[in-house]
Amino acid sequence: MILILLGPPGCGKGTQAKRLEESRGLVQLSTGDMLRAAVASGSEMGQQAKKVMDAGELMPDEIMIEIISERIDQPDCADGFILDGFPRTTPQAEALDKLLADKSLELGKVIELKVDEEALVERITGRYSCAKCGAGYHDKFQQPKQDGVCDVCGSTEFSRRSDDNEETVRSRLAAYNAQTAEIVPYYGAKGNLVEIDGMLDIEDVTVAIQGVIS
Ligand code: AP5
Ligand code: MG
């Protein structure tokens, strides 16, 4: 099964992709995580990505299409994957169609998570993650069971993304509205699109997604 999780920054794509990964055995392909790994590696592309991400803008389409094209050829994607953060522009959506057609793969549902803009800002500015295993948390909405200890790996070190401040979030939202929102009707016209209320609690959103894909 190939799914796309679509929606603005902070709508819950990463949170829900990780839950589907566990329950469905699908692989989460987060282009944001891939770019952050490139930043951490210090590569030339990583240095470019750091500037673009901290400005809340988008990386060039050719780079992102190349990254995804190579990634979906890996053996762990053979049983299906969840695209989280890709495609993000019409050229990326068209390139994905072609990549899948060339590999005789069929796109399943495109799940749009709908969340109010002010809730997005609150979600993003309160987000942090485990520095060791990457498990995601939120100051208010998703706290570890034991204060300061990661539920998944027991680490006591956490980090925040450098693009998770209010100013950059506003630029990221503007980029979403200007460049990404137009792919919602693109998938609507193809008949893959399903809208889900992303304002619900995390667990209720998962239940709604499970209902759509089962
Ligand atoms: P990326 O990492 O994809 O960031 P994003 O799209 O801005 O989305 P986020 O990761 O911020 O949010 P999310 O939807 O995953 O929310 P989450 O589940 O964490 O991309 C970063 C940058 O990389 C881009 O700005 C761009 O520069 C570049 N880039 C990436 N892909 C690209 C591409 N294809 N082309 C060009 N450039 C690209 O949830 C957020 C918080 O809310 C968490 O703390 C969570 O606990 C909480 N939360 C989640 N769900 C709920 C809920 N239902 N109720 C309450 N709280 C909730
Ligand atoms: Mg994410």
Side-chain angles (χ1 to χ4, degrees):
M1 186 189 304
I2 299 170
L3 301 175
I4 295 177
L5 290 181
L6 187 58
C11 69
K13 301 182 294 293
T15 303
Q16 297 300 330
K18 286 213 162 57
R19 290 172 147 239
L20 289 170
E21 204 172 38
E22 279 166 26
S23 63
R24 294 275 170 157
L26 302 169
V27 184
Q28 176 196 15
L29 302 186
S30 159
T31 40
D33 286 351
M34 293 173 203
L35 293 173
R36 281 182 285 280
V39 173
S41 78
S43 68
E44 206 173 301
M45 196 269 280
Q47 290 171 28
Q48 179 189 2
K50 166 104 184 109
K51 284 190 203 132
V52 170
M53 292 163 92
D54 284 347
E57 294 166 0
L58 297 186
M59 284 289 279
D61 288 331
E62 315 80 71
I63 294 181
M64 302 315 300
I65 293 162
E66 181 68 27
I67 290 176
I68 280 295
S69 168
E70 283 176 15
R71 185 65 187 86
I72 63 181
D73 277 339
Q74 301 300 307
D76 62 339
C77 290
D79 292 334
F81 49 88
I82 309 157
L83 290 163
D84 158 8
F86 184 96
R88 243 176 162 101
T89 61
T90 302
Q92 290 182 23
E94 289 169 350
L96 178 66
D97 281 346
K98 182 161 187 321
L99 279 176
L100 296 179
D102 288 349
K103 296 174 205 296
S104 303
L105 294 171
E106 198 183 334
L107 179 63
K109 300 285 187 219
V110 176
I111 296 165
E112 184 196 9
L113 299 173
K114 298 201 66 113
V115 177
D116 300 346
E117 188 150 326
E118 283 319 303
L120 294 171
V121 175
E122 187 183 21
R123 285 186 189 185
I124 288 183
T125 50
R127 169 172 54 191
Y128 61 99
S129 60
C130 172
K132 197 170 158 206
C133 74
Y137 296 99
H138 190 279
D139 292 325
K140 196 163 140 193
F141 305 123
Q142 197 183 5
Q143 295 157 335
K145 291 189 188 85
Q146 191 184 336
D147 200 21
V149 181
C150 176
D151 294 343
V152 179
C153 74
S155 168
T156 52
E157 293 198 20
F158 297 87
S159 62
R160 287 178 195 261
R161 279 169 44 177
S162 61
D163 60 344
D164 276 355
N165 56 77
E166 186 156 352
E167 192 191 340
T168 309
V169 170
R170 299 279 177 199
S171 306
R172 286 159 60 195
L173 285 169
Y176 180 84
N177 292 328
Q179 289 163 279
T180 308
E182 67 192 32
I183 69 173
V184 174
Y186 176 88
Y187 287 114
K190 285 166 76 78
N192 302 69
L193 190 71
V194 182
E195 246 182 46
I196 287 198
D197 180 5
M199 294 294 288
L200 300 170
D201 287 347
I202 292 174
E203 175 60 20
D204 294 335
V205 175
T206 306
V207 170
I209 295 175
Q210 299 280 16
V212 161
I213 63 175
S214 58

